Amino acid sequence: MANGAGPVNRGPVACALAAAGRRALRLADAARARQMTAAVLGLLRRMLGFARGEGVERQFGAIPYRRGAHGLEFLLITSRRTGRWIFPKGGRIGWLSPVACAAQEAYEEAGVEGVVAAEPVGSYRGTKQRPEGESEIEVALYPLEVEVELDDWPERGQRRRRWAGLEETCELVSDPGLDALVRALAARLCEKAPPGPAP
């Protein structure tokens, strides 16, 4: 049309660029939504995990173990921020029991599945580094006998994992009191170990 008010033929290149721009905006919006969702869930988990009036965040985790050719071994993973050797743990997921929380953390962080004990071996206190600063945590750890070790798991690209014997595990962990829990679990497991073959 002479007055230029009609539809404009932008050509295939312009249309492709416009479509790519719209797609990029949708992806950016989706990424922001995922980040916001993760932040809100993290906040809710921390709020649900606070102990009664103490300002201490309660967490639940697992001590994955197996009986291998070299005896009792424990599975350690690295923390995401500092690279320390730790056991999988995390804040309370409101709709899961503590045992189920421990199993979920073991799957997400260490890529293992197995049988979780009904009672924790004990708990320890430590600190967790967050963007807003340090927070005090109390972690109840449940023994988990590993049955499946996955090749792919949610946090595979964020952590390393390592099997270690009792003494090496106690040397690698740094949270106060954690080595005592590992030794207590080892003693309990040795008591329950099946008898060896008769001579």
Side-chain angles (χ1 to χ4, degrees), residues 154-174:
E155 298 187 13
R156 177 185 177 188
Q158 303 171 43
R159 303 179 188 272
R160 291 179 292 139
R161 63 183 181 185
R162 171 178 178 174
W163 286 101
L166 174 60
E167 295 304 326
E168 185 182 10
T169 297
C170 292
E171 290 176 4
L172 289 172
V173 295
S174 58

Side-chain angles (χ1 to χ4, degrees), residues 99-151:
V99 170
C101 288
Q104 182 68 20
E105 296 299 337
Y107 163 69
E108 291 181 5
E109 298 185 358
V112 291
E113 298 174 341
V115 179
V116 184
E119 298 294 331
V121 67
S123 62
Y124 73 96
R125 285 202 175 191
T127 57
K128 185 173 181 63
Q129 297 288 339
R130 302 191 185 281
E132 63 271 21
E134 285 188 351
S135 61
E136 189 175 0
I137 59 174
E138 182 176 353
V139 186
L141 289 176
Y142 290 77
L144 185 153
E145 185 171 10
V146 175
E147 295 180 332
V148 178
E149 188 172 350
L150 302 169
D151 294 326

